[in-house]
Amino acid sequence: MSKKILIVDDAAFMRMMIKDILSKNGYEIVGEASDGIQAVEKYLELHPDLVTMDITMPEMDGITALKKIKEIDPNAVVIMCSAMGQQAMVIDAIQAGAKDFIVKPFQADRVIEAIKKAIG
């Protein structure tokens, strides 16, 4: 059975890029969200195996959403997506429970490597 993934990014283009990479590698995209509030709602609704979470988003940022998801499900697997130069935020995210991070612009092999490492 393929692993279910929730993609969270405020940029539709970025969600499409990740979706394309993951679909081609046999992962099932069960949902998408464009901000942290939607991410938490979708997590509760869909119970994905993994979440890819952008850090900088409107309404609720990715680190806040990560913390809320971890409160709901301490075993949640979340990989943060960050632009270059967001090292401090990446450290915050890892301390808040993120499994890994991938840097934009995405490189397909790095995305797949991070997901395989996180959920197999």
Side-chain angles (χ1 to χ4, degrees), residues 6 15-16 23-24 28-29 49 53 56 63 73 90 95 105-106 118:
L6 170 63
R15 291 197 308 270
M16 193 176 74
S23 298
K24 284 179 179 166
E28 181 189 352
I29 310 311
D49 296 305
M53 180 86 70
T56 311
I63 293 174
D73 179 2
V90 168
Q95 288 172 340
F106 300 120

Side-chain angles (χ1 to χ4, degrees), residues 98-109:
K99 279 272 188 252
D100 203 345
F101 68 95
I102 45 181
V103 177
K104 298 175 184 179
F106 300 120
Q107 293 174 300
D109 54 349

Side-chain angles (χ1 to χ4, degrees), residues 4-57:
K4 300 181 303 196
I5 298 178
L6 170 63
I7 299 172
V8 185
D9 198 304
D10 58 328
F13 173 71
M14 287 296 174
R15 291 197 308 270
M16 193 176 74
M17 277 181 64
I18 298 178
K19 190 177 190 173
D20 188 51
I21 292 167
L22 298 180
S23 298
K24 284 179 179 166
N25 284 275
Y27 294 98
E28 181 189 352
I29 310 311
V30 291
E32 295 182 31
S34 58
D35 64 50
I37 294 169
Q38 282 183 15
V40 175
E41 289 169 356
K42 294 266 187 188
Y43 188 87
L44 281 167
E45 177 192 334
L46 301 168
H47 304 287
D49 296 305
L50 182 135
V51 180
T52 65
M53 180 86 70
D54 186 23
I55 291 180
T56 311
M57 296 182 290

Side-chain angles (χ1 to χ4, degrees), residues 80-98:
M80 304 307 286
C81 304
S82 73
M84 291 297 276
Q86 290 185 317
Q87 280 84 348
M89 288 179 165
V90 168
I91 291 165
D92 287 350
I94 299 292
Q95 288 172 340

